[in-house]
DNA sequence: ACTGCGCATTCCTTGACCGGTATATAACCA
DNA sequence: TGGTTATATACCGGTCAAGGAATGCGCAGT
């Protein structure tokens, strides 16, 4: 499932570094490894994981293999995040109400005593 | 540190299930474990990881410990995701241009190989 | 065909994580 | 005080992932 592998793929800091690197522009394996301080096999293995998760695509350019980000899984992550973002907005609203203190008409509930 | 532990915390499906469960409302440990089909120690350990990542907070209620989501790390995730979301929007724009430039009437070539 | 380069894969070892069992701790109750 | 409930932690065994070394494989130049 690309859903499970997506999270495990991004759980690794090296892999997140690779993804951040590919955000700027597509790059061949050697460049990625050098930029992230990874050995060549390690780079290839991480790219393999990212590829299995659907996060990157490969384009063959002579001997080199140029990796590029695939935006689709990012959208999936965004979709996962959406409900929580609403929670965050609620908390921001609540904070705003606290700071505002004017209370437009927030008699809905939630006294939130003391804190 | 909450940055690294945040991803590893969410990498586990059980932990994501817990987080999703707490999105509805705060719950005590026993309720979480039962809902996720986890043993009590396993539940506590997962909650420990989530707590170390800052994803949940605890409130003591008599013998029970009620866990609730903390929206802050969600915001961090959202911030991390932001640049990639732009990439996604760019790809959507590009798709729109493609559809735009190649004539909009339904007369498009659309090879549809094999059928 | 041979050689060199870029990359992928395999084997191996080590370290981290996960689940279960047993135990410790803290709060309530009799 | 002793006992029960609710939760946390320590220990243990199995599993999996990460890194390094060595090797395989495709492509280009001569």
């Amino acid at each position: 499932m690309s859903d499970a592998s997506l999270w495990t793929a991004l759980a690794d800091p090296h892999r997140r570094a690779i993804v951040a690197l590919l955000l700027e522009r597509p790059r061949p394996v050697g460049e990625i490894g050098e930029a992230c301080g990874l050995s060549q096999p390690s780079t290839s293995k991480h790219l393999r994981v990212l590829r299995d998760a659907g996060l990157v695509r490969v384009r063959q350019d002579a001997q080199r293999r140029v990796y590029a980000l695939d935006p689709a899984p990012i959208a999936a992550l965004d979709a996962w995040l959406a409900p929580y973002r609403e929670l965050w907005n609620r908390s921001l609203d609540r904070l705003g109400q606290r700071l505002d203190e004017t209370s437009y008409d927030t008699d809905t509930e939630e006294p939130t005593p003391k804190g």
Side-chain angles (χ1 to χ4, degrees), chain A residues 27-89:
Chain A
R27 295 171 196 259
V29 178
E31 199 176 325
I32 296 172
E34 190 181 5
C36 296
L38 291 170
S39 73
Q40 180 269 312
S42 188
T43 308
S44 277
K45 279 184 279 189
H46 281 306
L47 285 170
R48 168 80 156 149
V49 174
L50 291 172
R51 208 158 67 111
D52 288 346
L55 276 161
V56 298
R57 288 172 296 116
V58 205
R59 174 174 58 91
Q60 188 122 14
D61 173 47
Q63 303 109 329
R64 284 179 298 186
R65 308 193 112 221
V66 180
Y67 281 80
L69 268 187
D70 191 335
I74 305 293
L77 247 187
D78 199 55
W80 183 90
L81 201 60
Y84 303 94
R85 192 157 38 220
E86 289 182 19
L87 171 77
W88 187 50
N89 290 334

